[in-house]
Amino acid sequence: MPSVVETHRTYKYRLYHNVKANAHLHDTINVAGIVWNHITALRKRYYRRYRKHLGSNQLQKHVAYLRMKTQRFAYWRKVGSQAVQDICQRHDKAYKRFFKKEGGLPRFKKVKNYTSFTLKQSDWELGEDTHQRGGVKHPKHTGYVQIQGRWYKFVKHRPMNGDVKTVTVKRDAAGQMWVCFSVMENMTREDEISTGKSGGFDFGLKTFLTTDEGQHIESPQFFKQDLPRLRAIQSAVSQKAAGSTNRAKGKKHLARRHIRIADQRRDFHFKLANELCKQYDTLVFEDLNMAAMKRLWGRKVSDLGFAEFVKIVKWVAFKQGKRVSLIDRWERTTQQCSGCGHRQKMELKDRTFGCQRCGLALDRDHNAARNILEAGHRLILSQSVEVPASRRASGVHGRSPRL
Ligand SMILES: [Zn+2]
C-alpha cells in the first residue's frame, strides 16, 4: 500500500515581469542586505570591545529598537519584522557554523548581490488562482500572492500542495524575481515497484556514471560546449567602462547564460535520476569529497555537478520508495579487484584494471562501480542489524533539493 509521509518541500515560481511592482521587492531585498551588513558590523564591534559574542536575543532586541525607535533606521521598516527576524536567525546560524568550524565568519555582502528575504506567518497572502480583474480574465497558469500589501502575479507552472510555512522572495543574478513557498506536504509515497535490482555507480570525468554492469552514461557537457560563447561575452563585458550601463547589461547577459546552463544540467539530472530509480531498488554511490576532487580534477567537477545529482537522486528515490546508499568516500574502489579483492596501485591514466592475482581485466570505472555496489551491500547489511526497523520507518523524511 502506498504510504503517506510528511515532507518538507519547496515550490518555486517565476514572478511576472513588472518593473514598477517589482521595484518594491528589489528595494526590500536591498534593505535586507543593509540589515545583514549592519548586524555583521555590530557583532564584530561587540566582540572587539567585550571579547564576547553578541547573543541572538540581545541582537534581535537591538535591531528591533533601531527599526522602531530611531529616525535614522526607520527605513528598515520596509523589511517586515518577520523578515528582519529571519535575517537575525540566519546570521546566528552562520555564526554557529563558524564555531563548529563548519564555515567562515558571516561576511559583508554587496547589497546588489544580496538575494532574498523571507516571511513567515504574516505579511503575505495567497490569492485565488484565477480571477476576474477589470473584466480581463487572466491565463490559467497564473498564481497570485500578496506580499507586504501588494499583489504579484506568478507563473504557476505546477499546482502546489501542503501547508505553506514560509514565503521567500528571491532575485537571481540576472535580476529575475522568484517566489518560493516552503511547505510541509503529506506526500503519497509510491510503493516500491520491486525490480529486485541494486546498482553501484561510479562518477567519472570521461563518463558521468558507470554502472556495475559496465554501462556508460555520458554527461552532456553544457558548460564546455558553451565555454567559447561565455568567453566571448566575458571579454566583451570587460571592455566596457566600469560602472557603465553597458557593463551592467553585459553582466546580466552573462548571468542569464550561466543560469540557462544550470537549468539544463538540473533537467538532465532529474531525467537520469528518474530513469535509474525505475530500474533499481537500491542505488549505491560514493559519498564524494568535493573539495578534494576539485583539487584533483579542477573546474570540470563542479561543471558536472555530482553533489547536486546525489541530492536529486535521493529525492527522486524517496518519492518512489527506493533506497540510495552512500558509501564512505575512503573505500578503495578503484584500487581493488572486484573479483578477488586483491589490491594494487592504479595511476589516474590507467583505464583498465588488470588484476595481478586472478587475471580479471575490466574497465577502470566498471571495476570501481562493482566495488561500490559491494560496499553498499555491506553497509546495508550492517545498518539493518544496528537500526531497529521501527525507528527506521518513522525516521523517513524527505526534503526536496534546494532550488
Ligand atoms: Zn583479482
Side-chain angles (χ1 to χ4, degrees):
M1 267 209 348
S3 54
V4 176
V5 263
E6 200 172 41
T7 311
H8 195 146
R9 187 170 191 183
T10 306
Y11 290 91
K12 182 178 178 184
Y13 301 107
R14 187 167 65 76
L15 278 191
Y16 273 58
H17 190 63
N18 183 334
V19 178
K20 236 184 182 172
N22 293 3
H24 289 286
L25 299 177
H26 277 291
D27 282 353
T28 308
I29 294 176
N30 290 342
V31 178
I34 291 169
V35 174
W36 172 277
N37 286 337
H38 192 94
I39 294 173
T40 309
L42 204 68
R43 280 204 147 133
K44 278 190 182 179
R45 215 160 51 225
Y46 190 88
Y47 184 75
R48 264 206 308 275
R49 187 174 293 176
Y50 303 109
R51 293 284 139 194
K52 264 197 315 190
H53 290 288
L54 183 57
S56 62
N57 280 341
Q58 241 178 315
L59 177 72
Q60 286 195 25
K61 260 187 220 155
H62 181 70
V63 169
Y65 170 80
L66 293 180
R67 260 181 91 235
M68 299 317 290
K69 304 280 188 221
T70 67
Q71 263 309 307
R72 194 176 152 208
F73 295 103
Y75 71 100
W76 283 13
R77 285 174 218 165
K78 182 152 186 76
V79 187
S81 63
Q82 285 196 351
V84 167
Q85 210 180 23
D86 179 73
I87 298 168
C88 291
Q89 283 165 355
R90 269 191 302 122
H91 205 275
D92 233 49
K93 266 192 199 157
Y95 239 69
K96 288 194 176 120
R97 275 200 299 276
F98 168 71
F99 288 132
K100 282 195 262 172
K101 295 203 160 58
E102 285 168 5
L105 269 175
R107 278 188 291 186
F108 292 108
K109 296 176 183 184
K110 271 189 185 166
V111 165
K112 68 173 179 188
N113 293 340
Y114 204 78
T115 53
S116 66
F117 67 91
T118 297
L119 305 171
K120 287 176 186 162
Q121 298 92 5
S122 63
D123 274 353
W124 65 270
E125 188 192 327
L126 263 176
E128 293 285 319
D129 275 359
T130 34
H131 38 155
Q132 210 99 17
R133 284 211 184 153
V136 186
K137 192 139 195 277
H138 287 292
K140 208 163 115 202
H141 298 293
T142 303
Y144 298 87
V145 62
Q146 192 196 57
I147 295 161
Q148 298 179 326
R150 285 185 187 82
W151 283 97
Y152 297 90
K153 288 197 285 183
F154 59 89
V155 184
K156 199 168 183 180
H157 63 285
R158 64 161 71 181
M160 180 165 63
N161 308 306
D163 280 343
V164 178
K165 296 294 171 196
T166 64
V167 176
T168 300
V169 176
K170 264 192 184 164
R171 71 173 160 210
D172 63 22
Q176 174 64 55
M177 284 291 184
W178 302 83
V179 57
C180 305
F181 299 96
S182 173
V183 306
M184 285 310 280
E185 178 177 346
N186 285 326
M187 201 176 67
T188 314
R189 259 178 109 201
E190 290 305 314
D191 243 4
E192 182 178 316
I193 305 161
S194 187
T195 61
K197 256 177 94 174
S198 17
F201 304 89
D202 181 56
F203 287 116
L205 282 190
K206 279 220 157 85
T207 37
F208 185 69
L209 279 181
T210 304
T211 71
D212 62 283
E213 290 171 325
Q215 191 198 346
H216 295 293
I217 298 158
E218 304 296 331
S219 62
Q221 288 197 32
F222 309 111
F223 197 68
K224 200 176 162 196
Q225 278 166 16
D226 240 48
L227 211 53
R229 182 95 186 101
L230 278 175
R231 288 228 175 90
I233 303 170
Q234 179 73 64
S235 81
V237 170
S238 59
Q239 278 163 28
K240 305 275 188 272
S244 68
T245 317
N246 277 334
R247 179 129 173 180
K249 264 190 199 162
K251 274 191 177 165
K252 240 179 213 178
H253 185 178
L254 197 63
R256 266 201 300 276
R257 204 92 199 171
H258 278 291
I259 290 166
R260 209 192 67 187
I261 295 167
D263 287 347
Q264 285 174 328
R265 188 164 49 215
R266 269 174 64 82
D267 208 43
F268 164 66
H269 285 168
F270 264 102
K271 277 190 186 131
L272 182 58
N274 269 304
E275 196 58 44
L276 293 179
C277 287
K278 240 182 250 160
Q279 288 178 40
Y280 298 92
D281 285 349
T282 303
L283 303 100
V284 189
F285 299 89
E286 269 181 301
D287 193 359
L288 300 169
N289 177 351
M290 289 314 284
M293 285 176 74
K294 261 185 213 163
R295 272 199 297 281
L296 197 64
W297 290 344
R299 194 209 70 230
K300 219 164 171 182
V301 177
S302 28
D303 176 12
L304 294 168
F306 296 140
E308 286 80 18
F309 178 70
V310 169
K311 274 183 208 151
I312 288 169
V313 83
K314 270 184 177 168
W315 167 246
V316 173
F318 169 78
K319 282 205 295 189
Q320 298 190 8
K322 302 299 178 93
R323 165 147 63 176
V324 171
S325 264
L326 295 180
I327 61 156
D328 191 6
R329 60 181 80 122
W330 303 118
E331 293 266 356
R332 296 198 181 164
T333 51
T334 40
Q335 308 203 347
Q336 190 171 327
C337 173
S338 57
C340 71
H342 175 66
R343 271 190 196 159
Q344 64 192 53
K345 193 109 184 95
M346 285 281 285
E347 300 294 335
L348 255 179
K349 64 174 191 327
D350 299 338
R351 295 313 307 165
T352 310
F353 187 95
C355 181
Q356 284 156 6
R357 191 156 81 189
C358 73
L360 178 91
L362 269 184
D363 169 68
R364 174 204 184 90
D365 300 336
H366 185 181
N367 182 57
R370 282 172 48 144
N371 283 329
I372 289 169
L373 178 60
E374 184 55 37
H377 280 155
R378 277 201 306 275
L379 181 74
I380 290 163
L381 272 178
S382 70
Q383 278 176 343
S384 51
V385 175
E386 284 165 15
V387 187
S390 61
R391 234 183 77 199
R392 254 189 307 150
S394 64
V396 184
H397 273 292
R399 180 180 261 279
S400 65
R402 194 182 280 199
L403 306 169

